Structures are given as structure tokens and as C-alpha cells.
Amino acid sequence: DYKNGIKSLERIVEKTFNNADLYDLLGDMYFLSGDVKKAVTLWETALSKHCRNLNLSKKINDEKLYDSIYVK
């Protein structure tokens, strides 16, 4: 159930607002729930906070979900 997962993750993001990877994950959850516009907004926030996901720009540009590839 994405709705409950989104609510839970939003509470975590509020407490750790600078964690780019959490914004990326929250964007994925919104995308999977059907809210592409919100997903892209969250992915853009993740990008501005220097998310480690190498596929993040691709997700934003294509408005499509891709597997995450993280910089070590």
C-alpha cells in the first residue's frame, strides 16, 4: 500500500530533511502510486541535495522509474 508507505517516509524525511537519497526514494513511491508530477518534484529536490543515484537525472528527464545505481 503506497499511501501508508508514503506517509511513513514523509515523516522520516521531515526529520532528516537533508537526506537526498530519501527524497529519491519518496519520489519513487509517488511515481509508483501514479503521481508522476510529485515524483519529479521530489527527484529534483534529491538532485539539488546531491543524491548519490546515478540514474536520477535520467528519471527526471524521462519521467520514468529506473533502478537506482549509487556512487560508493
Side-chain angles (χ1 to χ4, degrees):
D1 177 15
Y2 293 113
K3 190 174 184 178
N4 288 328
I6 287 170
K7 285 181 183 180
S8 295
L9 189 53
E10 283 179 335
R11 285 192 295 269
I12 294 168
V13 168
E14 287 174 10
K15 293 178 183 178
T16 59
F17 61 91
N18 283 324
N19 189 320
D21 296 329
L22 289 178
Y23 279 98
D24 182 24
L25 178 59
L26 186 56
D28 291 354
M29 293 180 75
Y30 269 101
F31 182 89
L32 292 169
S33 75
D35 192 343
V36 176
K37 185 175 181 178
K38 180 72 172 179
V40 170
T41 298
L42 288 162
W43 291 335
E44 289 170 339
T45 300
L47 187 63
S48 74
K49 294 181 179 295
H50 308 292
C51 182
R52 299 175 302 128
N53 183 358
L54 297 176
N55 276 336
L56 187 55
S57 292
K58 189 174 180 180
K59 290 195 300 190
I60 293 167
N61 292 333
D62 297 348
E63 294 186 356
K64 185 176 177 185
L65 193 60
Y66 293 99
D67 289 339
S68 297
I69 301 171
Y70 289 102
V71 177
K72 294 181 181 183

